[in-house]
Amino acid sequence: KKRKAWELQMEKRKKYLTLFLSTLIISSFTFGGGYVIISLLKKKFTDELHWIEEKEMLNLAAIAQSAPGAVAVNAAILVGYRTAGIIGTIIAVFGTIIPPFVIISLISLCYTAFRENVIVAAVLKGMQSGIAAVIADVTVNLCSSVYQESGVLSVLVMAAAFCASWFFGVNVLWIILACALYGILRTFFTLSKKKGEPDK
C-alpha cells in the first residue's frame, strides 16, 4: 500500500512538472496573442499527451475566448483545472505568466532604446508576417475541427460572425451573445428531436 501510494504521488508530481514545463515553453514561444496559444495547447494536451479530448478542447477554447480577461490565462486556467484540479490551475497560470512577465519587465527597463533600435524594428516587422501565418493556421485548424464536430452550419455561423465583425463593425459582445443564442436554440432543437424519435 505504501509503495502504491508513493507511486501515485510520484505520478502526480510528474504530471505537475509536465504541466508546468508545457505551459512555460508554450507561453515562451507564443507570438501573436492568446488565439495562437489555443492551437499550441491543443497540439500539446490533445494530440501529444492525450489528456484532453478534441471536442472538450474546443469547448475550453470557446469559454476562454468568451470570458473576460486574457485568452492565454483563461485557457491556462481551464486546461490546468481539467488536467490536475486546483493545483493544476495554479501551476498552469504560473507557467503561462512567467515568460511574458520576465520579458516585458526586461524590455520596460530599456524601452526607449528598444523602440528606436533599427534591428529590433526590422525583427518585429518580420514577426508580423509570421504571426499572421500562425493565426491563419489556428483559424483553419479550428474551422476543420468545428466542421467535423458540428457540420457545415456551425462553419457558416463562424463565417457570418467574422463578416459581421470585419466588414460591418458589429460589436464583439453582440456577436458572442448571438452565437450563444444559436448554441442554445440548436441544443434545444436537437434534444426535442431526440425525444420525438421512437425508442429502438
Side-chain angles (χ1 to χ4, degrees):
K1 285 183 178 180
K2 285 184 178 180
R3 184 182 177 84
K4 192 173 182 180
W6 181 80
E7 286 177 355
L8 287 171
Q9 193 68 27
M10 289 301 295
E11 281 180 17
K12 265 189 176 182
R13 289 180 181 178
K14 188 178 178 182
K15 192 171 189 178
Y16 292 154
L17 181 62
T18 303
L19 179 62
F20 177 75
L21 292 176
S22 298
T23 51
L24 185 76
I25 292 167
I26 289 171
S27 182
S28 299
F29 297 97
T30 298
F31 300 97
Y35 297 101
V36 177
I37 205 171
I38 294 289
S39 176
L40 297 177
L41 289 172
K42 176 185 172 295
K43 285 177 182 176
K44 184 67 180 179
F45 293 102
T46 300
D47 302 336
E48 188 179 325
L49 295 174
H50 306 290
W51 287 0
I52 303 174
E53 292 181 5
E54 187 168 342
K55 181 181 178 181
E56 192 172 6
M57 180 57 81
L58 281 172
N59 292 334
L60 294 179
I63 295 168
Q65 293 174 62
S66 302
V71 175
V73 177
N74 291 345
I77 290 169
L78 293 168
V79 169
Y81 184 79
R82 174 61 185 82
T83 55
I86 297 295
I87 297 174
T89 298
I90 297 166
I91 291 170
V93 169
F94 270 105
T96 302
I97 65 174
I98 286 172
F101 178 78
V102 172
I103 293 166
I104 294 299
S105 297
L106 293 173
I107 290 172
S108 65
L109 294 173
C110 51
Y111 175 70
T112 304
F114 189 85
R115 182 188 60 187
E116 295 174 356
N117 190 293
V118 178
I119 296 173
V120 172
V123 169
L124 292 175
K125 276 261 184 191
M127 284 173 63
Q128 288 175 5
S129 303
I131 289 166
V134 171
I135 291 175
D137 177 61
V138 173
T139 305
V140 171
N141 285 335
L142 288 177
C143 184
S144 61
S145 298
V146 169
Y147 173 73
Q148 290 172 9
E149 189 63 39
S150 305
V152 179
L153 189 57
S154 291
V155 175
L156 292 175
V157 169
M158 185 166 58
F162 170 77
C163 291
S165 176
W166 181 260
F167 295 110
F168 301 104
V170 178
N171 192 298
V172 176
L173 177 63
W174 295 115
I175 294 173
I176 291 172
L177 290 173
C179 291
L181 180 62
Y182 158 75
I184 291 168
L185 292 173
R186 178 169 177 166
T187 301
F188 275 117
F189 177 75
T190 305
L191 291 173
S192 62
K193 193 176 179 182
K194 284 182 179 178
K195 284 181 180 178
E197 290 177 357
D199 295 332
K200 291 181 181 180

PDB file of all heavy atoms in Angstrom, residues 15 22-23 27 48 59 85 102-103 110 124 134 159 188 190 199:
ATOM      1  N   LYS A  15       3.177  14.676 -13.363  1.00  0.00           N
ATOM      2  CA  LYS A  15       2.130  15.364 -14.136  1.00  0.00           C
ATOM      3  C   LYS A  15       2.186  16.863 -13.904  1.00  0.00           C
ATOM      4  O   LYS A  15       2.055  17.657 -14.846  1.00  0.00           O
ATOM      5  CB  LYS A  15       0.751  14.820 -13.739  1.00  0.00           C
ATOM      6  CG  LYS A  15      -0.367  15.257 -14.675  1.00  0.00           C
ATOM      7  CD  LYS A  15      -1.649  14.516 -14.359  1.00  0.00           C
ATOM      8  CE  LYS A  15      -2.694  14.783 -15.424  1.00  0.00           C
ATOM      9  NZ  LYS A  15      -3.950  14.052 -15.187  1.00  0.00           N
ATOM     10  N   SER A  22       5.224  22.438 -19.871  1.00  0.00           N
ATOM     11  CA  SER A  22       4.481  22.586 -21.134  1.00  0.00           C
ATOM     12  C   SER A  22       3.934  24.002 -21.292  1.00  0.00           C
ATOM     13  O   SER A  22       4.122  24.635 -22.337  1.00  0.00           O
ATOM     14  CB  SER A  22       3.335  21.578 -21.197  1.00  0.00           C
ATOM     15  OG  SER A  22       3.815  20.261 -21.166  1.00  0.00           O
ATOM     16  N   THR A  23       3.274  24.496 -20.240  1.00  0.00           N
ATOM     17  CA  THR A  23       2.717  25.854 -20.318  1.00  0.00           C
ATOM     18  C   THR A  23       3.819  26.902 -20.367  1.00  0.00           C
ATOM     19  O   THR A  23       3.687  27.926 -21.048  1.00  0.00           O
ATOM     20  CB  THR A  23       1.787  26.128 -19.116  1.00  0.00           C
ATOM     21  OG1 THR A  23       2.462  25.810 -17.894  1.00  0.00           O
ATOM     22  CG2 THR A  23       0.510  25.307 -19.219  1.00  0.00           C
ATOM     23  N   SER A  27       4.112  29.278 -23.581  1.00  0.00           N
ATOM     24  CA  SER A  27       3.995  30.718 -23.362  1.00  0.00           C
ATOM     25  C   SER A  27       5.250  31.462 -23.805  1.00  0.00           C
ATOM     26  O   SER A  27       5.167  32.587 -24.308  1.00  0.00           O
ATOM     27  CB  SER A  27       3.728  30.992 -21.880  1.00  0.00           C
ATOM     28  OG  SER A  27       3.575  32.374 -21.636  1.00  0.00           O
ATOM     29  N   GLU A  48      -0.626  15.344 -28.406  1.00  0.00           N
ATOM     30  CA  GLU A  48       0.600  14.714 -27.911  1.00  0.00           C
ATOM     31  C   GLU A  48       0.390  13.949 -26.604  1.00  0.00           C
ATOM     32  O   GLU A  48       0.689  12.757 -26.519  1.00  0.00           O
ATOM     33  CB  GLU A  48       1.683  15.787 -27.713  1.00  0.00           C
ATOM     34  CG  GLU A  48       3.049  15.225 -27.375  1.00  0.00           C
ATOM     35  CD  GLU A  48       4.100  16.303 -27.205  1.00  0.00           C
ATOM     36  OE1 GLU A  48       4.029  17.320 -27.931  1.00  0.00           O
ATOM     37  OE2 GLU A  48       4.982  16.138 -26.342  1.00  0.00           O
ATOM     38  N   ASN A  59     -14.415  23.224 -26.628  1.00  0.00           N
ATOM     39  CA  ASN A  59     -15.291  23.869 -25.642  1.00  0.00           C
ATOM     40  C   ASN A  59     -14.489  24.783 -24.707  1.00  0.00           C
ATOM     41  O   ASN A  59     -14.921  25.897 -24.392  1.00  0.00           O
ATOM     42  CB  ASN A  59     -16.034  22.812 -24.820  1.00  0.00           C
ATOM     43  CG  ASN A  59     -17.046  22.038 -25.639  1.00  0.00           C
ATOM     44  OD1 ASN A  59     -17.553  22.550 -26.642  1.00  0.00           O
ATOM     45  ND2 ASN A  59     -17.336  20.819 -25.244  1.00  0.00           N
ATOM     46  N   GLY A  85      -6.826  19.631 -11.516  1.00  0.00           N
ATOM     47  CA  GLY A  85      -7.579  20.271 -10.447  1.00  0.00           C
ATOM     48  C   GLY A  85      -7.084  21.673 -10.097  1.00  0.00           C
ATOM     49  O   GLY A  85      -6.466  22.353 -10.928  1.00  0.00           O
ATOM     50  N   VAL A 102       8.559  38.272 -17.296  1.00  0.00           N
ATOM     51  CA  VAL A 102      10.013  38.487 -17.303  1.00  0.00           C
ATOM     52  C   VAL A 102      10.437  39.289 -18.531  1.00  0.00           C
ATOM     53  O   VAL A 102      11.210  40.257 -18.419  1.00  0.00           O
ATOM     54  CB  VAL A 102      10.756  37.131 -17.257  1.00  0.00           C
ATOM     55  CG1 VAL A 102      12.256  37.318 -17.466  1.00  0.00           C
ATOM     56  CG2 VAL A 102      10.492  36.419 -15.932  1.00  0.00           C
ATOM     57  N   ILE A 103       9.918  38.911 -19.704  1.00  0.00           N
ATOM     58  CA  ILE A 103      10.319  39.575 -20.947  1.00  0.00           C
ATOM     59  C   ILE A 103       9.885  41.041 -20.961  1.00  0.00           C
ATOM     60  O   ILE A 103      10.678  41.934 -21.283  1.00  0.00           O
ATOM     61  CB  ILE A 103       9.744  38.821 -22.172  1.00  0.00           C
ATOM     62  CG1 ILE A 103      10.408  37.444 -22.298  1.00  0.00           C
ATOM     63  CG2 ILE A 103       9.965  39.623 -23.457  1.00  0.00           C
ATOM     64  CD1 ILE A 103       9.708  36.508 -23.246  1.00  0.00           C
ATOM     65  N   CYS A 110      14.583  49.179 -20.672  1.00  0.00           N
ATOM     66  CA  CYS A 110      15.298  49.888 -21.752  1.00  0.00           C
ATOM     67  C   CYS A 110      14.357  50.119 -22.933  1.00  0.00           C
ATOM     68  O   CYS A 110      14.706  49.860 -24.075  1.00  0.00           O
ATOM     69  CB  CYS A 110      16.537  49.114 -22.172  1.00  0.00           C
ATOM     70  SG  CYS A 110      16.217  47.368 -22.531  1.00  0.00           S
ATOM     71  N   LEU A 124      10.678  42.938 -35.558  1.00  0.00           N
ATOM     72  CA  LEU A 124       9.248  42.996 -35.256  1.00  0.00           C
ATOM     73  C   LEU A 124       8.412  43.036 -36.531  1.00  0.00           C
ATOM     74  O   LEU A 124       7.344  42.432 -36.601  1.00  0.00           O
ATOM     75  CB  LEU A 124       8.944  44.213 -34.382  1.00  0.00           C
ATOM     76  CG  LEU A 124       9.511  44.167 -32.954  1.00  0.00           C
ATOM     77  CD1 LEU A 124       9.243  45.478 -32.229  1.00  0.00           C
ATOM     78  CD2 LEU A 124       8.925  43.005 -32.168  1.00  0.00           C
ATOM     79  N   VAL A 134       0.594  32.148 -38.453  1.00  0.00           N
ATOM     80  CA  VAL A 134       0.234  31.262 -37.333  1.00  0.00           C
ATOM     81  C   VAL A 134      -1.242  31.397 -36.987  1.00  0.00           C
ATOM     82  O   VAL A 134      -1.938  30.400 -36.765  1.00  0.00           O
ATOM     83  CB  VAL A 134       1.106  31.572 -36.089  1.00  0.00           C
ATOM     84  CG1 VAL A 134       0.601  30.810 -34.876  1.00  0.00           C
ATOM     85  CG2 VAL A 134       2.558  31.216 -36.364  1.00  0.00           C
ATOM     86  N   ALA A 159     -18.275  31.932 -40.114  1.00  0.00           N
ATOM     87  CA  ALA A 159     -18.003  32.856 -41.219  1.00  0.00           C
ATOM     88  C   ALA A 159     -18.865  34.117 -41.103  1.00  0.00           C
ATOM     89  O   ALA A 159     -18.385  35.236 -41.339  1.00  0.00           O
ATOM     90  CB  ALA A 159     -18.267  32.157 -42.550  1.00  0.00           C
ATOM     91  N   PHE A 188     -31.554  22.855 -27.859  1.00  0.00           N
ATOM     92  CA  PHE A 188     -32.963  22.542 -27.580  1.00  0.00           C
ATOM     93  C   PHE A 188     -33.611  21.802 -28.752  1.00  0.00           C
ATOM     94  O   PHE A 188     -34.382  20.860 -28.560  1.00  0.00           O
ATOM     95  CB  PHE A 188     -33.745  23.822 -27.273  1.00  0.00           C
ATOM     96  CG  PHE A 188     -33.647  24.252 -25.841  1.00  0.00           C
ATOM     97  CD1 PHE A 188     -33.064  25.457 -25.500  1.00  0.00           C
ATOM     98  CD2 PHE A 188     -34.137  23.449 -24.809  1.00  0.00           C
ATOM     99  CE1 PHE A 188     -32.960  25.859 -24.183  1.00  0.00           C
ATOM    100  CE2 PHE A 188     -34.037  23.834 -23.484  1.00  0.00           C
ATOM    101  CZ  PHE A 188     -33.453  25.045 -23.167  1.00  0.00           C
ATOM    102  N   THR A 190     -32.063  19.886 -30.968  1.00  0.00           N
ATOM    103  CA  THR A 190     -31.503  18.527 -31.005  1.00  0.00           C
ATOM    104  C   THR A 190     -32.145  17.636 -29.944  1.00  0.00           C
ATOM    105  O   THR A 190     -32.485  16.477 -30.203  1.00  0.00           O
ATOM    106  CB  THR A 190     -29.976  18.565 -30.800  1.00  0.00           C
ATOM    107  OG1 THR A 190     -29.394  19.442 -31.766  1.00  0.00           O
ATOM    108  CG2 THR A 190     -29.370  17.189 -30.939  1.00  0.00           C
ATOM    109  N   ASP A 199     -38.099   4.942 -29.492  1.00  0.00           N
ATOM    110  CA  ASP A 199     -37.013   4.136 -28.916  1.00  0.00           C
ATOM    111  C   ASP A 199     -36.814   2.861 -29.749  1.00  0.00           C
ATOM    112  O   ASP A 199     -37.775   2.211 -30.160  1.00  0.00           O
ATOM    113  CB  ASP A 199     -37.350   3.723 -27.473  1.00  0.00           C
ATOM    114  CG  ASP A 199     -37.424   4.950 -26.570  1.00  0.00           C
ATOM    115  OD1 ASP A 199     -36.738   5.942 -26.879  1.00  0.00           O
ATOM    116  OD2 ASP A 199     -38.183   4.916 -25.578  1.00  0.00           O
TER     117      ASP A 199
END
